[in-house]
């Protein structure tokens, strides 16, 4: 069998996409809008030695596979079409033996992955305990210290790498990111003179938003490049009196008695086993009556495995873990004196955010490739488009959980109903 026919035998004959390969073979409808072109023998080896999304990602990032009908900065349409077709069937022993014979045994020998790939979990474990300070710092460095300029090209003026909140379907990305910060600011009942701690602050978007409104805001990040960019922005925007971003582990923050704490997109990196210490830290650093807002990606239920799949773990978020919003709420409730007040799901907003990030990457493709290389740019296009599909299909969600630290007598001075606007 030729390569395209082998592929067809593994996924079924009713292909909606067009499959072509370097040996001249093809399968699927000739007039298909989207297709997959296997360009090199190395791509075959990647897909054979790591069946599924990891092998396909290796071949795609390395340039050995291309998606036909879609820009590499936004392969959303092609991935949607592929997702409908790529339902691999495990072949029987005789069929597997024939596939191995026709492909050639040389393709079943492991070869080095693309340079963008992180170490496998067992190698990372050998070099440091999961979620130790050193290993957390390395994981954050891997994902966030790609290039500040690259992130500017993808994220836009807000320089915000977390889910936006769209006030309406026609809002721009910048309007939606500003609205997200406005919503969190309002949920935390912040006012001039208050003190805010933003854990995992990224490029300081929440810190600067709060500082412009007279709030003394401290942000911490494990990314040195984020911290440097944020501090420069604080100086340039004349916010030094109110804002500070530190290159620091949040666990090293010694200050306490904050009026509010925000954690926007950090919980995914903490590790579920560390939630009690994580929320315990917040409880210790906030004053009685203060408010905590946790913004994080979640699973759609509380039963699914927490660890990320091989593609996300190797190429996007090493050591990342996701769980259901119910687990997060339970861990917060189990923290002494924390009372959960409200939770909200922004799943569809994250799909829209990713759509707009992909559009930015397409618009700035040549400069992005010049900045980080084509392989990394292709990786980010693939990752963001794939995540968009995940949010649209309810494979992942995005939740806000709002809590308060009770007074010793369990009283609060909060309004009886939510005080913020949608």
């Amino acid at each position: 069998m030729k390569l395209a026919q082998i592929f067809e035998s593994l996924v079924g004959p009713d292909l909606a996409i067009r499959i072509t390969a370097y040996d001249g073979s093809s399968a699927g409808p000739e007039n298909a809008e989207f297709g997959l072109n296997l360009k090199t023998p190395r791509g075959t080896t990647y897909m054979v030695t790591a069946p599924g999304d990891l092998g396909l990602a290796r071949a795609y990032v390395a340039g050995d596979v291309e998606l036909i009908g879609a820009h590499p900065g936004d392969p959303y349409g092609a991935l949607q079409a592929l997702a409908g077709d790529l339902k691999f069937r495990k072949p029987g022993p005789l069929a597997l033996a024939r596939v191995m014979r026709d492909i050639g045994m040389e393709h079943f020998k492991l070869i080095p992955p693309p340079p963008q790939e992180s170490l496998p979990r067992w190698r990372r474990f050998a070099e440091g305990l999961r979620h130790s300070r050193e290993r957390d710092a390395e994981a954050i460095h891997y994902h966030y210290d790609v290039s500040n300029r690259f992130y500017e090209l993808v994220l836009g003026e807000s320089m915000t790498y977390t889910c936006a909140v769209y006030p309406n379907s026609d809002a721009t990305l910048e309007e939606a990111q500003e609205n997200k910060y406005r919503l969190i600011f309002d949920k935390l009942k912040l006012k001039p003179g208050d003190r805010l701690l933003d854990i995992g602050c990224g490029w300081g978007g929440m810190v600067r938003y709060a500082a412009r409104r007279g709030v003394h805001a401290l942000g911490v990040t494990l990314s040195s490049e984020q911290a440097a960019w944020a501090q420069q922005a604080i100086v340039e925007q004349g916010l030094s009196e109110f804002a500070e971003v530190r290159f620091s582990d949040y666990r090293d923050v010694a200050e306490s008695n904050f009026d509010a704490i925000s954690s926007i997109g950090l919980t995914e990196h903490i590790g579920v086993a560390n939630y009690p210490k994580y929320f315990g830290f917040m409880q210790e650093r906030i004053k009685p009556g203060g408010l905590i807002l946790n913004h994080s990606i979640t699973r759609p239920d509380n039963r699914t495995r927490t660890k990320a799949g091989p593609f996300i773990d190797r190429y996007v978020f090493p050591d990342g873990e996701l769980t259901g919003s119910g687990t997060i709420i339970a861990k917060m409730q189990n923290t002494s004196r924390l009372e959960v007040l409200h939770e909200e799901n922004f799943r569809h907003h994250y799909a829209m955010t990713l759509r707009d990030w992909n559009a930015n990457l397409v618009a700035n493709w040549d400069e992005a490739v010049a900045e980080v290389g084509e392989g990394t740019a292709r990786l980010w296009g693939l990752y963001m488009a794939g995540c968009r599909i995940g949010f649209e299909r309810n494979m992942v969600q995005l939740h806000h959980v709002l809590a308060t630290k009770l007074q010793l007598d369990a009283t609060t001075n909060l309004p009886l109903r939510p005080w913020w606007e949608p």
Side-chain angles (χ1 to χ4, degrees):
M1 287 191 293
K2 295 286 188 177
L3 287 169
Q5 283 68 50
I6 291 173
F7 194 91
E8 188 176 29
S9 73
L10 295 176
V11 299
D14 300 321
L15 290 173
I17 59 172
R18 180 73 170 169
I19 304 296
T20 55
Y22 57 87
D23 65 354
S25 60
S26 61
E30 293 185 7
N31 61 347
E33 181 179 4
F34 299 106
L36 184 151
N37 180 31
L38 178 58
K39 299 167 61 178
T40 70
R42 183 176 64 178
T44 300
T45 302
Y46 278 140
M47 291 196 290
V48 166
T49 54
D53 61 353
L54 179 59
L56 185 60
R58 285 173 173 170
Y60 181 76
V61 170
D64 300 311
V65 161
E66 63 180 339
L67 298 175
I68 306 300
H71 191 286
D74 185 12
Y76 170 76
L79 290 184
Q80 271 197 316
L82 282 169
D85 277 346
L86 297 185
K87 296 178 176 62
F88 286 93
R89 301 177 299 181
K90 185 177 180 179
L94 291 178
L96 180 60
R98 183 182 178 188
V99 167
M100 293 175 68
R101 181 199 66 197
D102 291 346
I103 290 179
M105 288 302 298
E106 67 274 11
H107 290 299
F108 288 83
K109 298 177 182 178
L110 290 173
I111 58 175
Q116 292 83 1
E117 184 169 317
S118 176
L119 294 172
R121 284 194 180 101
W122 69 269
R123 284 281 304 279
R124 279 177 260 149
F125 179 78
E127 297 181 9
L129 293 176
R130 187 179 184 86
H131 296 299
S132 65
R133 290 172 183 248
E134 294 79 9
R135 186 161 156 182
D136 278 353
E138 181 58 33
I140 294 297
H141 167 74
Y142 173 85
H143 187 71
Y144 294 102
D145 290 345
V146 175
S147 157
N148 281 335
R149 179 56 186 157
F150 176 76
Y151 278 110
E152 289 173 347
L153 296 170
V154 174
L155 303 180
E157 292 180 7
S158 70
M159 202 60 167
T160 298
Y161 184 37
T162 49
C163 175
V165 177
Y166 288 75
N168 57 70
S169 59
D170 296 325
T172 66
L173 174 63
E174 296 306 318
E175 291 170 340
Q177 292 292 12
E178 182 80 0
N179 186 53
K180 183 264 296 295
Y181 288 132
R182 190 274 314 164
L183 178 61
I184 294 174
F185 187 93
D186 289 351
K187 283 184 173 182
L188 292 173
K189 286 182 65 66
L190 288 165
K191 60 186 184 302
D194 281 351
R195 297 174 64 238
L196 169 69
L197 173 62
D198 187 35
I199 302 174
C201 66
W203 290 270
M206 184 68 207
V207 169
R208 287 179 284 116
Y209 183 95
R212 287 194 293 270
R213 287 151 184 83
V215 171
H216 297 275
L218 169 62
V220 291
T221 173
L222 278 173
S223 166
S224 59
E225 291 198 19
Q226 285 181 338
W229 191 99
Q231 275 301 118
Q232 181 177 347
I234 286 168
V235 172
E236 292 174 350
Q237 295 170 23
L239 299 172
S240 299
E241 178 184 353
F242 292 97
E244 178 188 357
V245 168
R246 293 178 189 165
F247 172 43
S248 169
D249 192 298
Y250 77 91
R251 290 165 285 196
D252 292 330
V253 173
E255 295 93 330
S256 62
N257 215 36
F258 290 95
D259 295 283
I261 296 177
S262 54
S263 175
I264 308 172
L266 178 64
T267 314
E268 301 89 331
H269 301 286
I270 293 296
V272 177
N274 294 317
Y275 284 2
K277 292 181 179 178
Y278 173 58
F279 293 121
F281 169 87
M282 296 186 192
Q283 192 265 55
E284 292 172 357
R285 295 299 186 275
I286 199 167
K287 65 170 56 173
L291 290 159
I292 296 169
L293 190 288
N294 192 80
H295 162 128
S296 65
I297 301 171
T298 69
R299 300 287 189 191
D301 59 63
N302 300 286
R303 303 181 304 273
T304 310
R305 65 193 294 268
T306 60
K307 292 183 176 62
F311 167 63
I312 295 294
D313 183 65
R314 299 283 190 93
Y315 281 91
V316 185
F317 292 112
D319 292 343
E321 294 183 37
L322 299 180
T323 187
S325 58
T327 301
I328 292 173
I329 291 171
K331 298 299 183 182
M332 295 181 81
Q333 289 174 326
N334 290 341
T335 303
S336 174
R337 295 177 64 185
L338 288 192
E339 180 179 18
V340 173
L341 303 171
H342 186 268
E343 79 85 31
E344 192 170 0
N345 184 3
F346 293 95
R347 173 169 71 88
H348 297 292
H349 293 259
Y350 216 154
M352 296 167 70
T353 305
L354 288 155
R355 173 203 65 194
D356 290 346
W357 288 343
N358 271 124
N360 282 345
L361 181 55
V362 171
N364 298 299
W365 179 254
D366 290 343
E367 187 176 350
V369 169
E371 181 68 23
V372 298
E374 185 173 355
T376 298
R378 286 162 63 91
L379 166 62
W380 278 83
L382 178 71
Y383 150 62
M384 293 188 297
C387 286
R388 176 182 171 187
I389 292 172
F391 281 101
E392 289 179 341
R393 298 187 179 186
N394 197 31
M395 299 167 66
V396 279
Q397 301 176 348
L398 189 289
H399 281 260
H400 279 190
V401 180
L402 181 68
T404 186
K405 180 177 178 177
L406 294 171
Q407 305 284 346
L408 287 173
D409 62 0
T411 60
T412 71
N413 296 317
L414 297 172
L416 293 175
R417 297 293 298 157
W419 51 89
W420 59 89
E421 295 181 5

